[in-house]
Amino acid sequence: MVNYSKFVLANGLRVLVHEDHTTPMACVNVLYDVGARDEDPERTGFAHLFEHLMFGGSVNIPNYDEVLQQVGGENNAFTSNDITNYYITLPAVNLETALWLESDRMLSLAFSEQSLEVQRQVVIEEFKQRYLNQPYGDVWLKLRPLAYKAHPYRWATIGKNIEHIEQATMEEVKQFFETFYQPSNAILVIAGDVKVEEVKALVEKWFATIPDHPVKKRSLPQESPQLAARRESVEADVPVDSIYIAFHGPDRHHDDYYTLDLVSDLLSRGSSSRLYRALVKEQQLFVDVNAYLMGSVDTNLFVVEGKPSEGVDVAQAEQALWEQLDRLKTELVGEKELEKVKNKVESTMVFAELSILDKAMNLAYFELLGDANAYNTEVAKYAVISNSDIQRVSAEIFRAENSSTLIYHAKNQEAHVG
């Protein structure tokens, strides 16, 4: 159980405080309710670009990192299709410095052509290194638009293409900030060796005077049910052939989300999981195989991927993946096997409660979903899932007409029909 106190400032900023006096450290986590799904389809990659720009300094604090390092702090951030999250860990006695830094860039981020150009080049280089010049790096640039035709999940967080970042103007960047980086569109969580009343006074001091401009309610195009299988095959400069099969699944608020998450664990969590045991160890059809749920807030993707062993035909390998999925639809999972993966889920969540950073990020995320206390009921939602639930959801999800398949054929190998 992660206890917390919550209050909301007059400008709409939601604040959660978790006291943990077993550590001398504190964590300040700021989640902004903006991700790649909120971008203009003709200007993608802005949420991620802005994550970088936020470290370019504010009007009053030109060097964010230097100030933080002087008080023993560390920071980082990440962007997803749903959120942008910033966090600081530092000795709790220096908490006010972290709140000062975060409030100042929320209020008065410095916009300079130099900072924009520097961060633009950083992001472009990341695009090239991670997505274009790395084997299988462009998988999400291909698989997302294959699976999604309407929803903005059809592009990756990095963006559709480099040109969108290259052409970003200062005016567009400022507009993005003014649209989404508002107190009422943020969730602030402070966790660690702190006291609620002291934190409340500090938050009032540094954040209460920041004016708010209400963010327009999100209205995104929704994905229609997929009615026919989709396929794409590419020849690429990759070491070995590779198979990716994506299925549409429920959103993060749906009860079946938890069932499908357990399915991913049954299939590929650890060396005793079904895919590894059957396809890597026993049949030796794959050198690597995996299954996972994307965890998106809106309509999800469940992805099964694998790299066939040398000499194994892609079509044969793909059929073997489908056989494992079909087993879930036709056979009830044994109680012992199901209990094993439930225990693993519970242990993961218990271990997460040992880290103030994990607790801060989780409280912020569940508050975004609608109720921070839902973090404390997650284990119970997995515990009630039955083997018949596994069978029902598998039958609904793992259908050919609900699948989008991407095949990489290695150029240095004879291309197989897939």
Side-chain angles (χ1 to χ4, degrees):
M1 173 70 73
V2 178
N3 296 310
Y4 65 92
S5 298
K6 175 184 174 181
F7 57 93
V8 182
L9 300 185
N11 58 15
L13 178 67
R14 286 174 279 175
V15 186
L16 283 71
V17 184
H18 167 65
E19 294 189 21
D20 181 352
H21 301 294
T22 65
T23 173
M25 304 297 287
C27 176
V28 173
N29 191 90
V30 185
L31 182 154
Y32 288 93
D33 186 9
V34 56
R37 63 176 172 168
D38 298 299
E39 296 164 346
D40 182 332
E42 301 306 315
R43 275 292 184 267
T44 61
F46 265 57
H48 177 244
L49 173 63
F50 217 90
E51 173 204 321
H52 286 259
L53 286 170
M54 283 286 278
F55 291 97
S58 63
V59 171
N60 301 305
I61 310 165
N63 194 322
Y64 179 95
D65 287 331
E66 182 180 341
V67 174
L68 189 59
Q69 288 166 5
Q70 288 174 355
V71 294
E74 296 181 350
N75 72 92
N76 213 328
F78 64 86
T79 311
S80 74
N81 287 75
D82 298 311
I83 66 171
T84 309
N85 193 86
Y86 303 86
Y87 58 88
I88 295 172
T89 55
L90 79 173
V93 293
N94 296 326
L95 174 64
E96 187 167 7
T97 299
L99 297 176
W100 167 52
L101 287 168
E102 288 301 332
S103 67
D104 200 63
R105 63 179 179 176
M106 180 185 288
L107 172 65
S108 51
L109 187 68
F111 291 99
S112 70
E113 291 290 351
Q114 180 184 2
S115 176
L116 175 57
E117 189 55 35
V118 168
Q119 299 306 329
R120 188 206 315 272
Q121 293 307 316
V122 169
V123 172
I124 288 172
E125 187 61 27
E126 180 182 344
F127 200 125
K128 292 177 180 177
Q129 291 298 321
R130 292 182 56 188
Y131 293 84
L132 301 182
N133 300 333
Q134 184 171 301
Y136 318 105
D138 61 351
V139 59
W140 296 111
L141 303 182
K142 298 181 182 298
L143 190 56
R144 280 187 176 276
L146 184 64
Y148 291 107
K149 299 303 179 184
H151 195 285
Y153 284 163
R154 65 185 183 273
W155 59 82
T157 305
I158 196 71
K160 288 182 181 180
N161 54 59
I162 288 178
E163 287 74 19
H164 287 182
I165 300 302
E166 289 176 335
Q167 297 166 7
T169 67
M170 179 61 73
E171 183 180 349
E172 290 170 332
V173 167
K174 286 183 177 180
Q175 182 63 44
F176 192 88
F177 181 80
E178 292 168 1
T179 300
F180 297 108
Y181 277 69
Q182 299 294 331
S184 61
N185 205 43
I187 299 167
L188 171 65
V189 180
I190 298 99
D193 190 18
V194 299
K195 294 182 179 179
V196 173
E197 289 308 312
E198 293 175 0
V199 169
K200 189 170 184 179
L202 289 173
V203 170
E204 289 275 359
K205 174 182 177 181
W206 290 109
F207 289 89
T209 58
I210 300 176
D212 182 65
H213 302 284
V215 176
K216 184 179 177 182
K217 187 176 180 180
R218 180 181 285 116
S219 179
L220 303 177
Q222 295 305 299
E223 195 71 20
S224 299
Q226 186 174 332
L227 302 177
R230 300 167 185 161
R231 297 183 69 86
E232 182 179 337
S233 294
V234 295
E235 283 195 25
D237 188 13
V238 294
V240 296
D241 295 342
S242 191
I243 303 169
Y244 297 84
I245 311 174
F247 301 89
H248 287 282
D251 64 63
R252 188 62 180 76
H253 293 90
H254 199 289
D255 288 342
D256 286 346
Y257 172 89
Y258 299 93
T259 304
L260 199 57
D261 195 28
L262 273 189
V263 169
S264 72
D265 286 353
L266 284 165
L267 288 173
S268 72
R269 185 165 185 170
S271 58
S272 63
S273 61
R274 289 191 171 198
L275 294 181
Y276 185 85
R277 193 173 65 246
L279 303 184
V280 177
K281 291 180 67 176
E282 296 173 6
Q283 300 178 42
Q284 298 182 2
L285 294 174
F286 285 84
V287 294
D288 182 51
V289 66
N290 199 11
Y292 48 90
L293 187 58
M294 295 295 289
S296 304
V297 172
D298 294 337
T299 169
N300 263 284
L301 287 184
F302 186 99
V303 181
V304 181
E305 63 175 69
K307 295 176 175 57
S309 301
E310 184 177 356
V312 175
D313 184 82
V314 168
Q316 177 190 0
E318 185 181 347
Q319 179 59 35
L321 289 174
W322 274 100
E323 288 172 1
Q324 292 301 315
L325 298 177
D326 288 339
R327 277 188 62 201
L328 291 167
K329 296 151 62 173
T330 58
E331 305 171 12
L332 285 174
V333 173
E335 293 293 344
K336 186 175 180 180
E337 185 182 10
L338 182 57
E339 191 63 30
K340 182 179 178 181
V341 295
K342 287 182 180 181
N343 290 340
K344 286 183 177 180
V345 168
E346 182 175 5
S347 65
T348 298
M349 293 182 177
V350 169
F351 281 124
E353 292 185 15
L354 300 178
S355 162
I356 56 171
L357 175 58
D358 284 347
K359 287 186 285 188
M361 288 197 295
N362 279 314
L363 285 172
Y365 182 67
F366 280 93
E367 178 66 20
L368 174 78
L369 292 178
D371 179 13
N373 192 55
Y375 177 39
N376 292 316
T377 62
E378 281 287 274
V379 172
K381 291 176 180 177
Y382 287 98
V384 298
I385 295 169
S386 67
N387 51 13
S388 59
D389 290 326
I390 297 287
Q391 187 177 45
R392 173 183 57 81
V393 172
S394 296
E396 291 174 1
I397 302 300
F398 301 135
R399 297 174 290 110
E401 61 270 27
N402 189 41
S403 69
S404 297
T405 304
L406 174 64
I407 307 292
Y408 279 87
H409 292 296
K411 284 184 177 179
N412 61 343
Q413 295 182 1
E414 180 182 349
H416 301 297
V417 178

